[in-house]
Amino acid sequence: MRSVEEQLVLVTRAAVTPEPVRIAISEALGLMCAEEVQATRPLPGFAQAAIDGYAVRAVDVGGERPLAPRASEESEERPKLRDVSLPVVGEVAAGSQQPLRLQPKQAVRVHTGAPLPALADAVLPLEWSDRGSRRVVAQRPVRSGEFVRRVGDDIQPGDVAVTPGALLGPAHIGLLAAVGRSKVLVYPRPRVSILSVGHELVDIEREPGLGQVFDVNSYALAAAGREAGADVHRVGIAAGEPRRLREIVEGQLLRSEVIVIAGAVGGSSSEPIRKVLAEMGDIDITRVAMHPGSVQGFGLLGEEGIPVFLLPSNPVSALVIFETFVRPLIRMSLGKRNATRRIVRARALNRVESRKGRRGLIRARLMRDAETHDYLVEGFGGATGAPAHLLAGMSEANAMLRIPEDVVEIRPGDEVDVIFLSQSR
């Protein structure tokens, strides 16, 4: 029996990064940048007002020395000014394209983001004035460069705005827009195809007959793939004789970086699909020291060696295997630094049994104590008690207990590792 860690190493070795593509920056959030983006122009491209106020020459309002870098101007005591009154000779709004030139001992009313008139080297904030419209009285001095965004303060031409390998977040997208890039080269989301096999399966649009059940796995696993960040194609039920099954799988090998087939292990009905897959590459059917979902398969198929997962038909087991092995592979393909979920220590609220020699991955509800802020966890299943195969319990879970292989029982009050499945609670 293979350990979880051994199986995970085997799986993650097969992680592949799709060929980069150039897409609109509006679609690039969460993807890994595949190029170095350099600025071709300064940002800002012109001197502009950083605050609503009056564009002035600092020397005209009692501020002769330039602003020291990173000075804490907000907390600095400033002298009061007397009899410093300047005529207001114009007004400039943000976006204005009308050039203005300031003369000595004059002021121009400016709005945040407005281009600074020529010769102006500071902005007198409204709060430091009497807010006059024809003449303005300066109540405090400002120094040269104060409340001004200088040309290139943020970025200079040739500066690297985004580096290769950066995971594009909102700030990166904004920066790309700021340097005038409408498109960027990225590694796209890995394409994942989800199939279900089994003579007993019918699609949810049909009424199941005697001995038939709805195809749950293709829907649940497709949702799990999208949540992990993949571009998912839900093939649905792959039924038919072996030749037809082979055609379906070969078609998905051409369009996928990962294939997941539910119902392909754990029973005699899965033997035909395993025989078909064995003709297309190496598939390893094994037992992994975990529960639920011990029996599973993994291999590389086709000329490109596409990773293919074989999961059992039980939806809970299939989801646990997907969470443990498929999701990390997807996250690695996306370039995520942390391919696995966050794990916290929590105090158990109820008794949960596990199987000796296997790692328990038991659905649970994670909570927070209102007074102590300690994590608390309620297990929904285990080796006995609440059945591990019920999907309804899985839907209530926002976490999974991770019970070590040498532990057979978690008792109320015990500390246990808990894997976050949802960050919303």
Side-chain angles (χ1 to χ4, degrees), residues 56-67:
V56 295
R57 297 194 318 155
V59 68
D60 292 336
V61 289
E64 296 182 355
R65 63 186 178 92
L67 179 66

Side-chain angles (χ1 to χ4, degrees), residues 217 290 292-295 311-322 388-389:
N217 277 319
M290 59 185 282
S294 175
V295 181
L311 277 52
S313 59
N314 175 262
V316 171
S317 298
L319 282 171
V320 170
I321 295 172
F322 191 101
H389 66 278

